[in-house]
Amino acid sequence: MSDNTLIQTENLGATLALMSRRYSDSRKASEIDWTGSFENYCELVSKKPGLARNAYQRLYDMIMLEGTEMRKSRFVRRQVPHYFFFDDKEHGGAQAIFGIDFNLDIMMKQVESASRGYGQERRAFLLLGPVGSAKSTIASRLKAGLEAYSYIPDGALHSFSWKSQAYFGFADPERTKKFYDGEWFGCPMREDPLKLIPMQEREVFLKSLGITNYEHLMTELCPACFHVYEKLLKQYDGDFLRMIRENIQVERFTLSEARRVGIATFQPKDEKNQDSTELTGEVSNRNEVIFGSDTDPRAFNFNGEFQVSHRGIIEFVEVLKLDVAFLYDLLGATQEHKIKPKKFAQTALDTVIICHTNEPEYRKFIKNEGMEALRDRTIRITIPYGVTLAEEEEIYKRDYGRKFFGRHIAPYTFRMAAAWALLTRLKEPKHHGLSLLQKMQLYNGKNIPGFTEDNVVSLREEAENEGMSGVSPRVIQTQLANALVTMGDKGEALKCVNPFMVLRQIEEVLKDDSKVGTEEDRKRYKDLLAVIKDEYSDLVKRDVQMAISADEDALLRLSGNYIDNVKAYTQREKIKNKFTGNEEQPDERLMRSIEEKIDIPETRKDDFRREIMNYIGALALDGKKFDYKKNERLTKAFELKLFEDQKDTIKLTSLVSTVIDKDTQEKIDIVKARLEKNGYCDVCATDVLQYVASIFARGDQKAE
Ligand SMILES: [Zn+2]
Ligand SMILES: [Zn+2]
C-alpha cells in the first residue's frame, strides 16, 4: 500500500505535511472513501460483478490473490500446494503458519467449494487440534487478511446510508429534526446496496449485472432498513428509483475488528455469564426512547457478534464450551444463514464461520447425542503440531530471532529446543533399528542409509494421530523467553544464550507437575531431554573437531602422505623418507590409524587400499588428479586423524585447567576464530571448547 520511503525535510512541520499528503493520496488512490449514487454503484458492479460477492467467495479470492506454488511433500505421495497467504508477508511473517501445508490445503479445498456454493457454505469450519497448534493463528490470519483486503480495490465492499429524515421520519417534523437532521444514517448491518432492489425484480436485475452467484443477495434487508424501505416506498407510491435517488447514498467501507465492522470473535465465558444478546444483539434503551417502542426494528442494536460479522468472518474460540442454548443460534447461522434475535424477526446473515476446539472437548462433543445436528453441520479440519524440524525451528527464530537485542544466540539453540518439542510429538517408529531421533531426521529430509522417500511416507502413515499430542510451541516459546532473561551468577546480563540454558528451563518446567502433560508424559519428556543433550554434544564435538582440523594444508599433507604409502603398499615397493632420504617400508601404523577412523577392519584393509588405487588409476586415465575432498569417507577419515593428532598438540584437555601456555593459547585462538566464522561468538566458542575439552578430560574418546 504506502511505500516506506524515508521522508527527509528540514523541519517537523514540513515532515507532517508531507506525511499527511502521502497518506491522503494513498487513500484517494485506492478510493477508500468512495461515495456515489445507487446508479453509480450498479455501474461499478456491472464492470466488476465480484464487488457483490458473498463472504466465502471474498475469503477464497483474498487467499488466492497471493498465489500458490506446488511443493513436494515428504509425507504424501504427491505435491501439495503452498498458499503464500499463510506466510503472512503483510506482517513480516508475524502470523506465518509453518509445516502444515497439507492440512491447510484440506481446509482450502473446502473454502473453495463453499465459495462456489457447493454446500460447504452451509457448514461451519471446525479446526481441531491440540492446545497451541496453529488453530487460532489461522483464524487470526484470515481475519487480518480480510481486513487488509477490504482496503485494496480488489477487496472493496459497499453499503448504503439513508437520509436521516427518511430514517427518522416521524409525523412531527420538529421531532425528526431533533434526531440526526441533515445527516446520513448507515444501514446498521452494512448490507449490499443491491438488496434494495424490490424482491420480485431482483433476480433478473442481478443477472443483468452479470452476477451469477447471488443467493446471499436474495434475502431481505436488515429489519431496520426493511422497515424504513416499506414506509418510504408507500410514500413514493412505489416509485423505487425516485425513492432511492432522493434517500440513498452508497458508500465504500472497510472491515475492522477494532471498529467491530465485519470481523468478530466470540469467546465463551463461564456458563453462568453467557448471554445470547452477545451473539444476536438486543434492543437499545436509547433507541427505544427515540422510536417510542421496543418493537420498532430501528430500536434494535445490531451489535451482536453475528451481526458485526455480516459480510466478513466470525471466529468462535473454543466453540464446544458454548452453552447449548447458543449452539442453536450457531446452527441457524450455519445452516440457514439466518439469526433470530430475541423478540425480533429473523435476519439474513452472510458470514464465514470458523470455530476451533481441542481434542478432549471434541471427544466429549462426539459422544454427546444432543449435539448431533451441529456435528453434521461442521467441517472438521485437523490442525496438528508441526513435525518437521526446520519448520519448527523457523517458528522460534521468527518469534525471538529479532528480540534478543544485543545478545548472541549460540548455534543450535533454537534447533535443540525445536528438536525436543518434536520428539515429544512423534510416535515411536515400528521400524526395527530406527530411533525416534533418526525418524525426526528422516522427516526433516536427512538421508539415512536404507530408507527411501517412500519409507518416510509409510512411517508417517503408520503413525496415527502423530502431531496431535506432545509439547506445544507455546511451552518452548515461554522457556526461550525465560532463558533470554536469565542472569549470570553475579546477576550480570548474559552476552550469549546457549542451548543448555534453554534445556535447563525446560527441565524446570518438567519438575512442575501442573504445566505439561501427565506424570507419565513428563517422565518420557525428561528422557527425551537426555537424547537431545547427547545430540547436542555430538554436534558441538563435531564443530570443535572440524575447527581443529580445518587446516587445509595439513589435510592435504596427510592425504598425500597416506596415498603415497598406500601406493607403495599395494605395489610392494619401498617409500622414500622425505627427511632422511632413506628407503623405508610403508608406514603401516599411519595407514591403519586413518582407516580405523572409518571402521575399515584389518581383514578388509587390502581390498580397501586396492579400491583406492583403482579409483586413482581411473581418474588418471581421464587425465584427472585425485582430490581427497571429492571422497566423503576419506575426507572424514583424514579430518578425524588430524583432529586426533592436533587435539593433543593444542592440549584441548588443558582448557579445563586455568593455566595455559602462550603457544597453546595461540593455537586455541585459531580454533576459536574458525568457530566464530561458523556462527559462534567469543563467549559460546569458549564455552563449547571447554565443554568438549571436559568430555575428553573425562576420557570419552568418541570423536564423532
Ligand atoms: Zn440495513
Ligand atoms: Zn554466542
Side-chain angles (χ1 to χ4, degrees), residues 471-664:
V471 168
S472 82
R474 248 181 253 160
V475 172
I476 304 294
Q477 282 156 336
T478 314
Q479 299 328 312
L480 280 169
N482 286 344
L484 171 65
V485 296
T486 306
M487 296 289 180
D489 296 337
K490 296 179 197 97
E492 76 279 17
L494 296 173
K495 281 195 191 126
C496 175
V497 178
N498 66 44
F500 278 127
M501 296 177 188
V502 181
L503 297 179
R504 253 198 312 276
Q505 291 295 336
I506 291 174
E507 224 161 353
E508 286 302 311
V509 178
L510 292 179
K511 279 183 197 154
D512 186 332
D513 55 6
S514 60
K515 290 199 174 131
V516 192
T518 62
E519 203 183 323
E520 206 179 311
D521 290 337
R522 283 191 297 277
K523 202 177 157 291
R524 190 169 71 90
Y525 296 168
K526 234 179 138 178
D527 293 345
L528 294 173
L529 220 41
V531 174
I532 294 298
K533 281 182 189 164
D534 278 356
E535 168 74 359
Y536 177 63
S537 298
D538 286 351
L539 287 168
V540 293
K541 265 196 271 181
R542 230 313 247 294
D543 282 356
V544 169
Q545 171 203 312
M546 292 290 283
I548 290 173
S549 60
D551 185 340
E552 288 216 13
D553 289 341
L555 280 173
L556 201 62
R557 269 198 308 275
L558 185 62
S559 155
N561 205 357
Y562 175 72
I563 298 297
D564 286 348
N565 276 284
V566 168
K567 190 176 169 199
Y569 175 84
T570 49
Q571 298 176 354
R572 298 178 199 288
E573 287 169 355
K574 286 199 171 170
I575 192 164
K576 199 176 191 180
N577 185 309
K578 277 177 192 143
F579 299 105
T580 61
N582 293 341
E583 296 275 316
E584 290 173 356
Q585 291 294 335
D587 186 346
E588 186 63 23
R589 247 183 63 194
L590 173 82
M591 289 186 286
R592 283 310 289 152
S593 67
I594 289 167
E595 287 154 6
E596 278 162 2
K597 296 285 173 297
I598 46 174
D599 301 323
I600 308 291
E602 181 72 28
T603 50
R604 274 262 306 137
K605 69 175 188 193
D606 285 6
D607 290 343
F608 182 73
R609 291 172 191 173
R610 252 196 312 278
E611 277 164 28
I612 290 174
M613 290 322 293
N614 289 345
Y615 171 62
I616 292 174
L619 282 175
L621 281 178
D622 281 348
K624 286 178 196 156
K625 273 185 103 178
F626 172 74
D627 177 1
Y628 74 90
K629 279 186 220 156
K630 299 234 164 78
N631 188 316
E632 228 175 280
R633 276 187 98 195
L634 278 175
T635 305
K636 189 178 165 195
F638 295 146
E639 279 173 357
L640 289 172
K641 167 69 178 155
L642 201 61
F643 172 67
E644 189 180 72
D645 295 348
Q646 302 219 350
K647 89 177 189 310
D648 294 331
T649 71
I650 73 158
K651 300 193 190 72
L652 193 54
T653 48
S654 70
L655 264 173
V656 278
S657 72
T658 43
V659 199
I660 298 170
D661 63 77
K662 191 168 157 271
D663 193 37
T664 309

Side-chain angles (χ1 to χ4, degrees), residues 160 162 186-191 221-226:
F160 60 87
W162 299 95
C187 164
M189 282 186 68
R190 300 165 311 279
E191 298 271 32
L221 284 166
C222 84
C225 291
F226 188 67

